[in-house]
Amino acid sequence: MGNKPQRIGIMGGTFDPIHMGHLLMAESVRMDYGLDKVLFIPTGTSPHKDDCAITPAIDRYIMTMMATYSNPCFFVSPIERDRPGPSYTIDTVRALVAEYEPGTEFYFLAGTDAVLELHTWNNINELLDLCHFVAASRPGKVRTIEQEIERLGPKAMERIHRLTTPELEISSTDIRERVRLGKSIRYFVPENVEHYIHKEGLYRK
Ligand code: ATP
Ligand code: MG
C-alpha cells in the first residue's frame, strides 16, 4: 500500500432496486476521485423512508451484490442490513472509521436529492468531520446544492465536493412502478437484477 492513504467510497441507499443510475454515478466518482473501492451499503429499515413497506433487506442486498459483482472495485457491506432498528449514516461511518487503518479517507457518495436533505441528517457535523461528501449532480442542479452547502456552514464548504457526472434519469420508484404496470425494465437495471426481480415476483403490487 505504501504511504498513500486508502480512499474508500461509501454508497448508501435503499437500493429498492439498485439501478444503472447508481452504478454509473458510483463508477464516475470512483474514477474522478481515485477511490480504491466503493462500498455499497443497502439500508436495513431506513430512517428516511418510513412511509410504505419496502422490500425485505435480504432481497435488496442480493440485488446489490448481483449488480456490483463484476466490478473489482465495488463491494457490498451488510453493516446496515444486520443492524436492528433504524440505521443512521453516522453509526455506519463511525463503524467504518473504527474498522479501517487510521488515515483512511472516506468519501460519501450522494446524489442531488440526498445532498439537499443533509441538514436533516443525524449528527451531520460529526459526519462532516469523519468523511468527505461527493455531491454528484448535473450542471443545472448545482445552484440548489450550493444553497444547501451554505446553509450547513463553513465545514460543509470544505468537505462537500461537487462533481458533474453523467446522470441517468432513472429512479427506483420509477422502476417499481414500471414492473407494477407490466412495462419493461430492460437496461434500467443490470440483466441479472432484472431476472431476479421477475423470478422473485418483486414489485408486482
Ligand atoms: P427511490 O426512488 O426509492 O428513492 P432512488 O432511485 O432515489 O430510489 P436510493 O436508493 O434512494 O435510489 O438512492 C441512493 C443514492 O443514489 C442517493 O444518494 C441518490 O441521490 C442516488 N441516486 C439515485 N438515483 C440516481 C441517479 N439516477 N443518478 C445518480 N444518483 C442517483
Ligand atoms: Mg431516493
Side-chain angles (χ1 to χ4, degrees):
M1 287 284 120
N3 293 326
K4 208 164 142 270
Q6 275 226 101
R7 287 191 170 186
I8 309 292
I10 304 171
M11 179 76 183
T14 316
F15 301 131
D16 192 14
I18 189 164
H19 55 68
M20 293 305 198
H22 297 130
L23 296 166
L24 180 61
M25 189 267 256
E27 182 66 357
S28 305
V29 177
R30 185 189 73 74
M31 288 188 291
D32 259 74
Y33 280 79
L35 304 179
D36 297 289
K37 54 178 162 176
V38 178
L39 297 177
F40 284 73
I41 310 185
T43 56
T45 36
S46 170
H48 296 289
K49 291 191 179 174
D50 37 24
D51 44 339
C52 52
I54 60 170
T55 307
I58 188 68
D59 288 311
R60 293 183 287 107
Y61 183 84
I62 290 170
M63 289 189 283
T64 306
M65 264 298 205
M66 294 174 93
T68 56
Y69 200 75
S70 62
N71 188 325
C73 297
F74 284 0
F75 296 84
V76 186
S77 165
I79 186 169
E80 291 193 7
R81 187 199 75 189
D82 292 346
R83 191 182 295 146
S87 200
Y88 294 97
T89 301
I90 184 66
D91 300 318
T92 302
V93 173
R94 278 182 190 147
L96 291 173
V97 168
E99 182 185 325
Y100 280 80
E101 293 230 330
T104 302
E105 295 172 357
F106 293 96
Y107 288 79
F108 194 96
L109 281 45
T112 307
D113 58 303
V115 174
L116 293 177
E117 294 290 309
L118 280 183
H119 65 275
T120 68
W121 286 24
N122 262 15
N123 303 59
I124 182 62
N125 246 315
E126 185 189 341
L127 209 44
L128 287 167
D129 287 328
L130 297 179
C131 63
H132 298 261
F133 280 78
V134 182
S137 67
R138 282 176 294 181
K141 300 241 177 93
V142 168
R143 238 192 105 68
T144 40
I145 287 183
E146 221 55 72
Q147 282 161 358
E148 175 73 11
I149 294 173
E150 258 173 54
R151 175 179 184 177
L152 288 166
K155 201 193 291 176
M157 299 200 189
E158 203 181 294
R159 301 287 270 182
I160 304 179
H161 316 280
R162 278 132 298 182
L163 180 67
T164 304
T165 58
E167 192 177 316
L168 296 173
E169 198 73 50
I170 298 179
S171 72
S172 302
T173 303
D174 181 39
I175 292 167
R176 295 192 298 273
E177 177 75 355
R178 294 183 71 88
V179 174
R180 200 176 58 76
L181 296 172
K183 290 185 181 173
S184 166
I185 54 166
R186 180 177 281 184
Y187 310 128
F188 284 68
V189 297
E191 202 175 347
N192 54 6
V193 172
E194 183 190 350
H195 292 320
Y196 187 89
I197 289 169
H198 294 317
K199 190 169 179 182
E200 298 299 320
L202 302 183
Y203 314 128
R204 287 218 193 118
K205 62 168 190 66

